[in-house]
Amino acid sequence: MSLILTFLGATSTHRIKIAVTAAKLLSGQGKRVLLAGNMEPTMSMLLNFSVGCDPQEIAINLHVVYLQASVLLERSWNDIKQLESEYLKTPLLKEVYGQELAVLPGMDSALALNAIRQYDESGNYDVIIYCGYGDSRTIRMFGMPDFISWYWRRFHQLFVNSDIGKILTEAPIIQTLINNLFNFNWMDNNFVHPIDQTISFLEKGKEAVADPKRVVAFLVSTPEILELAACRYLWGSSQQINLTVGGLILVTSGNMDAKNMIPGEFSPLAVSVFPDRSTSDWQILMDSLPDFEAQALEAPKPIEINVCERKVSLFLPGFEKKQIKLTQHGPEVTVEAGDQRRNISLPSSLIGRSVTGAKFQHNYLIISF
Amino acid sequence: MSLILTFLGATSTHRIKIAVTAAKLLSGQGKRVLLAGNMEPTMSMLLNFSVGCDPQEIAINLHVVYLQASVLLERSWNDIKQLESEYLKTPLLKEVYGQELAVLPGMDSALALNAIRQYDESGNYDVIIYCGYGDSRTIRMFGMPDFISWYWRRFHQLFVNSDIGKILTEAPIIQTLINNLFNFNWMDNNFVHPIDQTISFLEKGKEAVADPKRVVAFLVSTPEILELAACRYLWGSSQQINLTVGGLILVTSGNMDAKNMIPGEFSPLAVSVFPDRSTSDWQILMDSLPDFEAQALEAPKPIEINVCERKVSLFLPGFEKKQIKLTQHGPEVTVEAGDQRRNISLPSSLIGRSVTGAKFQHNYLIISF
């Protein structure tokens, strides 16, 4: 299992420079590092190496790869066609070629997350540095396991309980018809197996994102007030998907004292100063990076649940009270902050209970049941 | 119909500052402007106004709105539930509330594009400035009408021709069953109507994106070499979805000559210099913006088709020859460049013909049939 490290912030060239520096630093410390980026040319230019769609070793312990969505889609498509041909007598998809498929919005995030999961499971890397878009898209990407498992819980149950669901699962005529079309019995238990696998995979993904030893983000900003504000918004948004933010890396051209340059609003995050200088000084750049793993463990937890007191505390920096909404329409409690909505998985003792109170103070939303 | 203007580049705060300046400039010229942005706080800070999810007039002719995905999803959900309840005797979705739904990757792009389309159709605005993420996500978003219409063409036909499709469209037992479940006949021509509407809507979207009088992007960069390279990549990627790039806006703190600061690689785009100074000088900032509409019309066209010579020319700056792939697996020709794949809609005289040659020179891919 790898540590997955990512960077959030308004200036992509700064984020990529820091990701490359971190990859050099950690691989130099003996960790097996995979640096995975988008197709934009910045990473190749900084590494002075033409990065491809399969990991290549460019220095001891340092592999690099571009997560090219169109290629990942092509590969996934071949897997899907293979699976279809195993299950269906008359496969539909065999005439569509992976090389034709255009990438729709959202596919790139799903494919990148899946690629990171596979690299993680390969056991080949101690650290995977994901150099993504560094904004709310990266946050939504890491939120996918949680969101999809919610959609599944909510809609699967509705469907099973519905008239249509009952007819489909009970009517022998439908089953006979489907068995005639396909050469397998999709209603028997074999069909449940891949669904169980999917659920377990989503649960594993949720656990990984929530664990600061597995996934952690660092904020990257200049001292400019607009960039700092954007960063603070990304900090709060990350908390909404249970993603730990381990610290703030401030990119400056001067040698000013970091503590004086940024407002107290980033407390209690640790702040590091990264000099905005040429990459001919890799050593100076590497020396200015924080200890990512240690800081991740010290950062505030996005959520804490106190079962005895029937209280759930969410750490939501970067938002004002009026930007946070709490609703309890469905079976779960939903918190909306910024543009992230989250259904909170409650322990069994709190499930089904109504919210009796909520207050927002010192960046914490405290919900009582 | 509005002109839809957007900005692409590596530094979000620069892009947003230019979008706000452009909104002030164009509304000052008497155009009715809608400035539509993401939820990130930068736009509100620059405007000194708390932007909401519905357009608000903050100055004469100037409306602002945040395209908040979670709110847009909630509103769309209510429309879907309404439609479902009209068509189904036993609606499934009525128990799921819009306030619960989390935004999955891709939904935000689809919702933003739909919102822009609705604001465009409202007739209330001469110009809509979309202040999006400014990277390949914005490009994929504007590519959606083209991509989805391709998926529809390709998969619909396969399905209709398949064994399953034939059974479903011919077997009376299936039709009877479905008619018993739903209170409408989904096989009759009424069902075709909304599909036709969707196709026509996608075609309109494709036409709009391809028309520099309707949709145009401008590049934003500092003179830093990494940012310029990222910009050039976005330029080429935009061409891949038929989106016109009207010019480059260079953000600099000095007063240097723009022509000398950037490499010739951006030719033939016009370059404007935007001073990196405080927004207390709005007038100076406004004066430095280009004439967006005039430049859009002078910019190179992404695609030109010469039916007589059986030649298709694609302008693909920012890529090397080895980064461009041409395939003809399915019924259409597919061009891949960067991380964008595109199936080219050919005029009827070229459809079904094989590619006889292709060359890439002076940033143009010229395909012969």
Side-chain angles (χ1 to χ4, degrees):
Chain A
M1 290 203 307
S2 333
L3 170 73
I4 296 159
L5 183 61
T6 197
F7 299 96
L8 304 170
T11 305
S12 72
T13 47
H14 290 161
R15 282 187 292 98
I16 297 172
K17 209 186 237 185
I18 288 174
V20 169
T21 311
K24 286 179 179 280
L25 173 72
L26 297 171
S27 61
Q29 291 171 352
K31 297 195 175 85
R32 298 166 305 158
V33 174
L34 177 67
L35 176 62
N38 299 318
M39 279 291 288
E40 282 167 27
T42 319
M43 208 166 90
S44 282
M45 290 174 71
L46 282 170
L47 294 167
N48 198 19
F49 179 84
S50 174
V51 181
C53 314
D54 289 296
Q56 284 169 282
E57 191 163 17
I58 58 164
I60 296 169
N61 287 323
L62 178 53
H63 284 76
V64 292
V65 69
Y66 272 147
L67 302 176
Q68 187 176 352
S70 48
V71 172
L72 295 173
L73 179 58
E74 199 177 310
R75 293 177 183 172
S76 294
W77 186 246
N78 291 335
D79 294 344
I80 290 169
K81 274 164 63 163
Q82 177 62 30
L83 207 67
E84 196 208 20
S85 70
E86 282 170 24
Y87 281 100
L88 294 197
K89 271 181 194 155
T90 52
L92 275 178
L93 308 176
K94 65 175 189 294
E95 288 173 45
V96 178
Y97 301 90
Q99 291 84 345
E100 296 179 85
L101 301 173
V103 178
L104 284 167
M107 284 183 185
D108 39 4
S109 295
L111 291 161
L113 188 64
N114 191 46
I116 292 170
R117 181 186 66 85
Q118 287 172 335
Y119 289 129
D120 179 28
E121 285 180 357
S122 74
N124 294 335
Y125 308 106
D126 302 312
V127 181
I128 297 172
I129 300 177
Y130 172 62
C131 193
Y133 293 97
D135 55 24
S136 65
R137 171 160 42 175
T138 298
I139 296 172
R140 285 199 210 286
M141 184 184 95
F142 282 111
M144 280 179 91
D146 189 5
F147 300 157
I148 295 176
S149 83
W150 177 83
Y151 274 93
W152 170 260
R153 286 198 300 279
R154 197 80 177 89
F155 285 88
H156 174 69
Q157 205 49 46
L158 274 184
F159 179 76
V160 167
N161 293 340
S162 73
D163 290 354
I164 298 175
K166 280 181 195 148
I167 286 173
L168 279 178
T169 44
E170 288 165 16
I173 190 153
I174 299 277
Q175 294 193 26
T176 313
L177 196 98
I178 288 166
N179 291 343
N180 283 339
L181 278 170
F182 308 131
N183 58 1
F184 76 107
N185 185 348
W186 75 300
M187 288 304 179
D188 77 9
N189 284 334
N190 290 332
F191 193 65
V192 174
H193 190 59
I195 292 173
D196 279 350
Q197 273 188 331
T198 309
I199 300 299
S200 135
F201 151 74
L202 293 173
E203 288 304 317
K204 272 193 214 162
K206 274 167 65 176
E207 278 170 28
V209 171
D211 181 354
K213 288 182 191 147
R214 301 295 323 285
V215 186
V216 64
F218 278 74
L219 306 174
V220 173
S221 181
T222 65
E224 207 222 345
I225 193 163
L226 293 175
E227 281 218 16
L228 283 170
C231 246
R232 199 154 178 270
Y233 177 81
L234 293 172
W235 183 23
S237 301
S238 301
Q239 306 290 312
Q240 267 284 71
I241 60 141
N242 248 353
L243 173 63
T244 302
V245 171
L248 169 65
I249 301 172
L250 206 62
V251 181
T252 66
S253 44
N255 263 326
M256 294 147 79
D257 179 11
K259 304 280 172 200
N260 295 336
M261 267 191 295
I262 64 148
E265 292 163 345
F266 284 91
S267 167
L269 287 191
V271 181
S272 319
V273 175
F274 186 87
D276 188 11
R277 56 203 288 173
S278 148
T279 50
S280 54
D281 299 320
W282 281 119
Q283 192 56 51
I284 295 172
L285 298 180
M286 284 194 274
D287 291 344
S288 59
L289 288 180
D291 181 336
F292 297 108
E293 287 172 86
Q295 278 190 207
L297 297 180
E298 282 164 20
K301 289 191 175 60
I303 186 169
E304 291 191 79
I305 298 178
N306 187 325
V307 176
C308 300
E309 291 185 18
R310 292 186 192 153
K311 275 190 178 152
V312 174
S313 305
L314 299 163
F315 180 56
L316 293 172
F319 300 114
E320 290 167 46
K321 191 174 177 178
K322 66 174 182 182
Q323 291 174 297
I324 296 174
K325 268 196 243 172
L326 177 70
T327 53
Q328 199 174 18
H329 278 288
E332 295 176 20
V333 173
T334 310
V335 174
E336 189 178 308
D339 201 9
Q340 301 283 342
R341 195 178 279 146
R342 173 185 188 186
N343 290 284
I344 297 170
S345 297
L346 294 170
S348 54
S349 63
L350 296 182
I351 285 176
R353 285 188 173 272
S354 291
V355 171
T356 55
K359 57 180 176 181
F360 185 68
Q361 59 187 27
H362 309 305
N363 294 329
Y364 277 90
L365 174 69
I366 299 161
I367 311 167
S368 310
F369 292 87
Chain B
M1 290 203 306
S2 332
L3 170 72
I4 296 159
L5 183 62
T6 196
F7 299 95
L8 304 170
T11 304
S12 73
T13 46
H14 290 160
R15 283 188 290 100
I16 298 171
K17 208 186 237 184
I18 288 174
V20 169
T21 311
K24 284 179 181 280
L25 172 72
L26 297 171
S27 61
Q29 290 170 353
K31 299 195 173 81
R32 299 164 305 156
V33 174
L34 177 67
L35 176 62
N38 300 317
M39 278 290 288
E40 281 167 26
T42 319
M43 206 167 93
S44 282
M45 289 172 73
L46 281 170
L47 293 166
N48 199 17
F49 179 82
S50 175
V51 181
C53 315
D54 289 295
Q56 284 169 281
E57 190 164 18
I58 59 164
I60 295 167
N61 287 324
L62 178 54
H63 284 77
V64 291
V65 69
Y66 271 147
L67 302 177
Q68 186 174 354
S70 48
V71 171
L72 295 173
L73 179 58
E74 197 177 311
R75 291 176 185 173
S76 294
W77 187 246
N78 291 335
D79 294 344
I80 291 169
K81 278 168 52 167
Q82 177 63 32
L83 208 67
E84 196 211 21
S85 70
E86 282 169 24
Y87 281 100
L88 294 196
K89 270 181 195 155
T90 53
L92 276 177
L93 308 177
K94 66 175 190 293
E95 287 172 45
V96 178
Y97 301 90
Q99 292 84 347
E100 296 177 85
L101 301 174
V103 179
L104 283 167
M107 285 183 184
D108 38 5
S109 295
L111 291 162
L113 187 64
N114 191 47
I116 292 170
R117 182 185 66 85
Q118 288 172 334
Y119 289 129
D120 178 29
E121 285 181 356
S122 74
N124 294 335
Y125 309 105
D126 302 311
V127 182
I128 297 173
I129 299 177
Y130 171 61
C131 194
Y133 294 96
D135 55 25
S136 65
R137 173 162 40 179
T138 298
I139 296 171
R140 285 198 210 287
M141 184 184 96
F142 283 111
M144 279 180 91
D146 191 3
F147 301 156
I148 294 176
S149 82
W150 177 83
Y151 274 92
W152 169 259
R153 286 197 301 280
R154 197 80 178 88
F155 285 87
H156 174 69
Q157 205 49 46
L158 274 186
F159 180 76
V160 167
N161 293 340
S162 73
D163 290 354
I164 299 176
K166 280 179 195 150
I167 286 174
L168 279 179
T169 44
E170 288 165 16
I173 188 152
I174 299 276
Q175 295 194 26
T176 313
L177 196 97
I178 289 165
N179 291 342
N180 282 339
L181 278 169
F182 310 132
N183 57 1
F184 76 107
N185 185 348
W186 75 302
M187 289 301 180
D188 77 9
N189 283 336
N190 289 332
F191 192 65
V192 175
H193 189 58
I195 293 174
D196 280 349
Q197 273 188 333
T198 307
I199 300 297
S200 133
F201 150 74
L202 293 173
E203 289 304 319
K204 272 192 213 162
K206 274 166 66 175
E207 279 170 29
V209 171
D211 182 352
K213 287 183 193 147
R214 299 295 323 284
V215 185
V216 65
F218 278 75
L219 305 175
V220 173
S221 181
T222 66
E224 207 222 346
I225 193 163
L226 293 173
E227 281 216 17
L228 284 169
C231 246
R232 199 154 177 269
Y233 177 83
L234 293 172
W235 184 23
S237 302
S238 301
Q239 305 291 311
Q240 266 287 69
I241 61 143
N242 247 354
L243 173 63
T244 303
V245 170
L248 169 65
I249 301 172
L250 206 62
V251 181
T252 66
S253 44
N255 261 329
M256 295 146 79
D257 179 11
K259 303 280 172 199
N260 296 335
M261 266 190 295
I262 64 146
E265 293 162 344
F266 283 92
S267 166
L269 287 191
V271 181
S272 320
V273 175
F274 186 86
D276 187 12
R277 55 204 288 174
S278 148
T279 50
S280 54
D281 300 319
W282 281 119
Q283 192 56 50
I284 296 173
L285 298 180
M286 284 193 277
D287 290 344
S288 58
L289 288 180
D291 181 337
F292 298 108
E293 287 171 86
Q295 281 193 205
L297 297 180
E298 282 165 22
K301 287 192 177 59
I303 187 169
E304 290 190 81
I305 298 177
N306 187 324
V307 176
C308 300
E309 294 184 16
R310 292 189 195 151
K311 277 193 178 154
V312 174
S313 305
L314 298 163
F315 181 56
L316 293 174
F319 299 114
E320 291 166 48
K321 192 176 177 178
K322 65 174 183 181
Q323 291 173 298
I324 296 174
K325 271 196 242 170
L326 177 71
T327 54
Q328 200 174 18
H329 278 287
E332 296 178 20
V333 173
T334 310
V335 174
E336 188 179 309
D339 200 9
Q340 301 283 342
R341 195 178 278 146
R342 172 184 187 187
N343 290 284
I344 297 170
S345 297
L346 296 169
S348 55
S349 64
L350 296 182
I351 285 178
R353 283 189 173 271
S354 290
V355 171
T356 55
K359 58 180 176 178
F360 185 67
Q361 60 187 25
H362 309 307
N363 294 328
Y364 277 90
L365 174 69
I366 299 162
I367 311 168
S368 309
F369 292 86

